[in-house]
């Protein structure tokens, strides 16, 4: 059997290829995004049912089947992360997320496809080391930057860089295009599971904004905040965030 990481990479790429082809069709942005969500989700569910039939699935685009809570293996997927950016036609910051959660171990295999960049990142890869830039580049949501972002800018001299898609931002840190990605104010497990899996495999720090662990396959899959950064920067970034919280 193909390893879970290779399988995740293969189906993420397949969904990404479908989305790239669909994007060439003459659809308005909202319909393009809707069709992308639906079609990529259908493809991933079909592949998971065929190749991993005993595993449960938690998908952004499907009704949450709570029986997953009693399962030992759960695939957490976001068929199209960055639907808005995808619908805009010329934006590269969208992605496909595929992650496997296993009881007692957390995320054990994951892949993030970025079709516009023609690349898929997976947990079984060897990641090249990169050098941190100065000033520190911190990626934030283009539409909902966290309130503590300005403190990172003023205290650490960070440059705040807006970008869409959690997967796109996380993989930019993996590549060394930025030093950190911070978010607060609303995400779900499927937004971060695959990006966190890949980022951890690349040796990055990943946690909640308060430094606590990220937990997946929870009864309510709301996971609102996130810090992904170079390991050597984690302490100072978390300290700045902590200083902004009410006492």
């Amino acid at each position: 059997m193909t390893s879970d990481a290779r399988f995740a990479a293969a189906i993420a790429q397949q969904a990404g290829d479908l989305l790239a082809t669909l994007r060439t069709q003459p659809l308005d942005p909202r319909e393009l995004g809707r069709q992308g969500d639906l079609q990529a989700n259908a493809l991933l569910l079909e592949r998971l049912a065929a190749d991993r039939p005993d595993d449960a699935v938690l998908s952004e685009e499907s009704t949450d089947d709570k029986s997953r809570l009693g399962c030992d293996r759960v695939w957490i997927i976001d068929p199209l992360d960055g639907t808005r950016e995808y619908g805009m036609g010329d934006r590269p910051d969208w992605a496909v997320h595929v992650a496997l959660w296993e009881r007692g171990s957390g995320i054990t295999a994951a892949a993030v496809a970025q079709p516009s960049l023609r690349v898929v990142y997976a947990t079984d890869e060897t990641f090249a080391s990169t050098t941190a830039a100065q000033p520190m580049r911190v990626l934030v949501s283009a539409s909902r930057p966290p309130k503590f972002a300005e403190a990172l800018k003023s205290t650490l001299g960070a440059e705040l860089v807006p970008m869409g898609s959690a997967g796109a931002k996380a993989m930019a840190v993996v590549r060394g295009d930025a030093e950190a990605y911070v978010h607060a104010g609303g995400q779900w497990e499927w937004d971060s599971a695959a990006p966190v899996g890949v980022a951890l495999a690349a040796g990055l720090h990943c946690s909640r904004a308060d430094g606590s662990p990220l937990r997946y396959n929870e009864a309510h899959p709301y996971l609102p905040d996130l810090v992904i950064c170079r390991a050597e920067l984690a302490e100072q970034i978390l300290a700045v965030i902590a200083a902004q919280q009410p006492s």
Side-chain angles (χ1 to χ4, degrees):
M1 179 184 290
T2 304
S3 72
D4 290 321
R6 280 298 89 204
F7 176 64
I11 65 173
Q13 178 162 3
Q14 189 175 356
D17 290 345
L18 179 154
L19 289 165
T21 299
L22 178 64
R23 211 181 193 200
T24 65
Q25 303 303 307
L27 299 172
D28 69 72
R30 291 188 67 178
E31 180 62 14
L32 178 59
R34 191 181 75 85
Q35 287 295 327
D37 282 330
L38 291 174
Q39 294 187 33
N41 189 55
L43 184 153
L44 292 174
L45 293 180
E46 180 180 358
R47 288 298 310 273
L48 288 165
D51 291 71
R52 299 294 192 272
D54 297 327
D55 297 349
V57 180
L58 172 63
S59 170
E60 178 181 16
E61 303 302 329
S62 299
T63 302
D64 184 3
D65 182 350
K66 297 297 185 181
S67 66
R68 64 180 171 80
L69 298 173
C71 296
D72 292 332
R73 288 167 53 94
V74 181
W75 291 89
I76 304 174
I77 63 173
D78 190 342
L80 173 53
D81 183 63
T83 303
R84 175 178 174 273
E85 289 76 16
Y86 172 77
M88 295 173 71
D90 59 350
R91 292 283 295 267
D93 47 344
W94 53 280
V96 177
H97 299 175
V98 179
L100 173 64
W101 173 92
E102 294 191 77
R103 190 175 304 281
S105 301
I107 303 300
T108 58
V112 176
Q114 287 194 265
S116 289
L117 303 183
R118 299 181 179 180
V119 64
V120 180
Y121 300 91
T123 50
D124 62 350
E125 297 178 18
T126 299
F127 297 89
S129 60
T130 60
T131 302
Q134 289 292 335
M136 182 192 306
R137 298 161 296 179
V138 178
L139 297 167
V140 296
S141 169
S143 58
R144 294 177 298 168
K147 293 181 179 180
F148 54 70
E150 286 300 323
L152 293 173
K153 180 178 179 179
S154 60
T155 305
L156 302 180
E159 175 188 358
L160 303 181
V161 183
M163 183 183 291
S165 170
K169 290 191 280 286
M171 295 309 99
V173 182
V174 168
R175 286 193 300 274
D177 293 344
E179 283 64 57
Y181 161 37
V182 297
H183 184 83
Q187 278 189 348
W188 300 81
E189 290 188 14
W190 45 76
D191 291 308
S192 66
V196 162
V198 174
L200 288 172
L204 299 176
H205 167 89
C206 300
S207 71
R208 297 285 302 272
D210 63 1
S212 62
L214 292 149
R215 302 189 186 282
Y216 296 94
N217 197 37
E218 297 293 303
H220 184 47
Y222 186 58
L223 197 53
D225 50 71
L226 172 70
V227 173
I228 296 177
C229 66
R230 298 177 66 94
E232 69 270 22
L233 301 177
E235 185 175 354
Q236 58 183 303
I237 288 173
L238 292 172
V240 171
I241 295 174
Q244 305 307 304
Q245 304 308 311
S247 57

